[in-house]
Amino acid sequence: MIQAPLDHDALRKALEAAGLRSTSQRLAVYDQLAAMPHHPTAEEVFQAVRSSLPKISLATVYKALEALVAIGVVGRLNAADGAGSARYDARSEDHYHFRCLRTGTIHDLPTEFDPKLIEHLDPLLAEDLRRQGFQVTGYRLELLGYRRTDGRDA
Amino acid sequence: MIQAPLDHDALRKALEAAGLRSTSQRLAVYDQLAAMPHHPTAEEVFQAVRSSLPKISLATVYKALEALVAIGVVGRLNAADGAGSARYDARSEDHYHFRCLRTGTIHDLPTEFDPKLIEHLDPLLAEDLRRQGFQVTGYRLELLGYRRTDGRDA
DNA sequence: ATTCTTGCAAACCTTTTGCAGCCTA
DNA sequence: TAGGCTGCAAAAGGTTTGCAAGAAT
């Protein structure tokens, strides 16, 4: 099971530590995001959050997501191939994604394997890159394919 | 050195084989794209192509890029993290990218290493994924970091 | 009390589309 | 010649911004 989402106290502290205020909108956005298994778009988060905060606006959802990304408790994922909208992820640490080429949805991958993939990359390559002026600080691995249609997928 | 870009004859054949026509705009877009080392946005391609075809329109550049992606001679890369614009790549086969977190530019990585990374992924995981309904057909690996500022980068 | 945040609407940017005229096969 | 393609302009998403009123510290 992925990772325990932050509770309100932890999230309040994280916001506070960054000099940001903890508002009901930010908490609600985080809660809804953490509860959605397929990393949703801002619009999807908006629709979900309306159930608890009917008067929230889409702009506020964008701002809240931006704040959560800024403090590092939420990640923003790129769109399928440059088109469409961004997707958000309540996990902050490195992990892998599976992107369904049919629906565009993104799923978390179990991370029992290879948590430090980059250490396996050819050390010679790393040396080579450094020499060329590339300082590598992280990586992103995404598996592509098709998800059996049987439920949570659209 | 990466890969030889297609010459006009090869590109004409590729377009023809797909039932598409070879136009000066499509050839020019491909040429400019292949000549740019840091995978450019549609707008950047547009500006570059104007030097040879001053009356080309941005819409045509988008359509040409779409055609080139459709026949598989150009790849479309996702935007940095969901925001901004897509970037294009005149290479079609699997390879790796380095994304500069400062400028957003994307560079090709030398591919001397690990051309079949996915085969190294835990076979157990692959089995696990299949059981869960994920059919993996490809993957995307992107290194993130900072590029020494010394030239082609903005 | 002060400063940050919200919500609304308008602005913005990237990408797509409709259509008349042009060009390729 | 026929049908795809271009170029223009307008439309369509998705995301950001300006600002007055409201909320958090």
Side-chain angles (χ1 to χ4, degrees), chain B residues 59-88:
Chain B
T60 296
V61 171
Y62 272 105
K63 288 168 187 166
L65 288 169
E66 183 191 346
L68 295 171
V69 169
I71 66 174
V73 300
V74 161
R76 180 157 49 171
L77 287 59
N78 41 27
D81 48 7
S85 32
R87 290 174 174 279
Y88 296 86

Coordinates of all heavy atoms in Angstrom, one line a residue, chain B residues 59-88:
Chain B
A59 N -0.3 27.2 -37.3 CA -1.3 26.1 -37.4 C -0.7 25.0 -38.3 O -0.8 23.8 -38.0 CB -2.6 26.6 -37.9
T60 N -0.1 25.4 -39.4 CA 0.5 24.4 -40.3 C 1.7 23.7 -39.6 O 1.8 22.5 -39.8 CB 1.0 25.1 -41.6 OG1 -0.1 25.7 -42.2 CG2 1.7 24.2 -42.5
V61 N 2.4 24.4 -38.8 CA 3.5 23.7 -38.1 C 2.9 22.7 -37.2 O 3.4 21.6 -37.1 CB 4.4 24.8 -37.3 CG1 5.3 24.0 -36.4 CG2 5.1 25.7 -38.3
Y62 N 1.9 23.0 -36.5 CA 1.2 22.0 -35.6 C 0.8 20.8 -36.4 O 0.9 19.7 -36.0 CB 0.0 22.7 -34.9 CG 0.4 23.3 -33.6 CD1 0.5 24.7 -33.5 CD2 0.7 22.5 -32.5 CE1 0.9 25.3 -32.3 CE2 1.1 23.1 -31.3 CZ 1.1 24.5 -31.2 OH 1.5 25.1 -30.0
K63 N 0.1 21.1 -37.6 CA -0.4 20.0 -38.4 C 0.7 19.2 -38.9 O 0.7 18.0 -39.0 CB -1.3 20.6 -39.5 CG -2.6 21.1 -39.0 CD -3.3 21.9 -40.2 CE -4.5 22.6 -39.7 NZ -5.0 23.7 -40.6
A64 N 1.8 19.8 -39.3 CA 3.0 19.1 -39.9 C 3.6 18.2 -38.8 O 3.9 17.0 -39.0 CB 4.0 20.1 -40.5
L65 N 3.8 18.8 -37.6 CA 4.3 18.0 -36.5 C 3.4 16.8 -36.2 O 3.9 15.7 -36.0 CB 4.5 18.9 -35.3 CG 5.6 19.9 -35.4 CD1 5.5 20.9 -34.2 CD2 7.0 19.2 -35.4
E66 N 2.1 17.0 -36.2 CA 1.2 15.9 -36.0 C 1.3 14.8 -37.0 O 1.4 13.7 -36.7 CB -0.2 16.5 -36.0 CG -1.3 15.5 -35.6 CD -2.7 16.0 -35.9 OE1 -2.8 17.2 -36.1 OE2 -3.6 15.2 -36.0
A67 N 1.5 15.2 -38.3 CA 1.7 14.3 -39.4 C 3.0 13.5 -39.2 O 3.0 12.2 -39.3 CB 1.7 15.0 -40.7
L68 N 4.0 14.2 -38.8 CA 5.3 13.5 -38.6 C 5.3 12.6 -37.4 O 5.9 11.5 -37.4 CB 6.4 14.6 -38.4 CG 6.6 15.4 -39.7 CD1 7.6 16.6 -39.4 CD2 7.2 14.6 -40.8
V69 N 4.6 13.0 -36.4 CA 4.4 12.1 -35.2 C 3.6 10.9 -35.7 O 3.9 9.7 -35.3 CB 3.7 12.8 -34.1 CG1 3.3 11.8 -33.0 CG2 4.6 13.9 -33.5
A70 N 2.6 11.1 -36.5 CA 1.7 10.0 -36.9 C 2.4 8.9 -37.7 O 2.2 7.7 -37.5 CB 0.5 10.5 -37.7
I71 N 3.4 9.3 -38.5 CA 4.1 8.4 -39.3 C 5.3 7.8 -38.5 O 6.1 7.0 -39.1 CB 4.5 8.9 -40.7 CG1 5.6 10.0 -40.5 CG2 3.3 9.4 -41.4 CD1 6.1 10.5 -41.8
G72 N 5.5 8.3 -37.3 CA 6.5 7.7 -36.5 C 8.0 8.2 -36.6 O 8.9 7.7 -36.1
V73 N 8.2 9.3 -37.4 CA 9.5 9.8 -37.5 C 9.8 10.9 -36.5 O 11.0 11.4 -36.4 CB 9.8 10.3 -39.0 CG1 9.6 9.2 -40.0 CG2 8.9 11.5 -39.3
V74 N 8.8 11.4 -35.8 CA 9.0 12.4 -34.8 C 8.3 12.0 -33.5 O 7.3 11.3 -33.6 CB 8.5 13.8 -35.3 CG1 8.3 14.7 -34.2 CG2 9.4 14.4 -36.3
G75 N 8.9 12.3 -32.4 CA 8.2 12.0 -31.1 C 7.8 13.3 -30.5 O 8.3 14.3 -30.6
R76 N 6.7 13.2 -29.7 CA 6.2 14.3 -28.9 C 6.5 14.1 -27.5 O 6.2 13.0 -26.9 CB 4.8 14.6 -29.2 CG 4.2 15.7 -28.4 CD 3.0 16.3 -29.0 NE 2.0 15.3 -29.2 CZ 0.7 15.6 -29.6 NH1 0.3 16.8 -29.7 NH2 -0.1 14.6 -29.8
L77 N 7.2 15.0 -26.8 CA 7.5 14.8 -25.4 C 6.6 15.7 -24.6 O 6.2 16.8 -24.9 CB 9.0 15.3 -25.2 CG 10.1 14.4 -25.7 CD1 10.0 14.2 -27.1 CD2 11.4 15.1 -25.3
N78 N 6.3 15.2 -23.4 CA 5.4 15.9 -22.5 C 6.1 17.2 -22.0 O 7.3 17.3 -22.0 CB 5.0 15.0 -21.3 CG 6.2 14.2 -20.9 OD1 7.4 14.7 -21.0 ND2 6.0 13.1 -20.3
A79 N 5.3 18.1 -21.6 CA 5.8 19.3 -21.0 C 6.4 19.1 -19.6 O 6.1 18.1 -19.0 CB 4.6 20.3 -20.9
A80 N 7.2 20.0 -19.2 CA 8.0 19.8 -18.0 C 7.2 19.1 -16.9 O 7.7 18.1 -16.4 CB 8.5 21.2 -17.5
D81 N 6.1 19.7 -16.5 CA 5.4 19.0 -15.4 C 3.9 19.3 -15.6 O 3.2 19.6 -14.7 CB 5.8 19.4 -14.0 CG 6.0 20.9 -13.9 OD1 5.6 21.6 -14.9 OD2 6.5 21.4 -12.9
G82 N 3.5 19.3 -16.8 CA 2.1 19.4 -17.1 C 1.7 20.8 -17.6 O 0.8 21.1 -18.3
A83 N 2.6 21.8 -17.2 CA 2.3 23.2 -17.7 C 3.1 23.4 -18.9 O 4.0 22.6 -19.3 CB 2.7 24.1 -16.6
G84 N 2.9 24.5 -19.6 CA 3.7 24.9 -20.7 C 3.4 24.0 -22.0 O 2.3 23.4 -22.0
S85 N 4.3 24.0 -22.9 CA 4.0 23.4 -24.2 C 4.7 22.1 -24.4 O 5.7 21.8 -23.8 CB 4.4 24.5 -25.3 OG 5.4 25.2 -24.9
A86 N 4.3 21.4 -25.4 CA 4.9 20.1 -25.8 C 6.2 20.4 -26.5 O 6.4 21.5 -27.0 CB 3.9 19.3 -26.6
R87 N 7.1 19.4 -26.5 CA 8.3 19.5 -27.2 C 8.4 18.3 -28.2 O 7.9 17.3 -27.9 CB 9.5 19.5 -26.2 CG 9.6 20.8 -25.4 CD 10.6 20.8 -24.3 NE 10.7 22.1 -23.7 CZ 11.4 23.1 -24.2 NH1 12.0 22.9 -25.3 NH2 11.4 24.3 -23.6
Y88 N 9.2 18.6 -29.2 CA 9.3 17.6 -30.3 C 10.7 17.1 -30.5 O 11.6 17.8 -30.2 CB 8.7 18.2 -31.6 CG 7.2 18.5 -31.4 CD1 6.8 19.7 -30.9 CD2 6.2 17.5 -31.8 CE1 5.4 19.9 -30.7 CE2 4.9 17.7 -31.6 CZ 4.5 19.0 -31.1 OH 3.1 19.2 -30.9

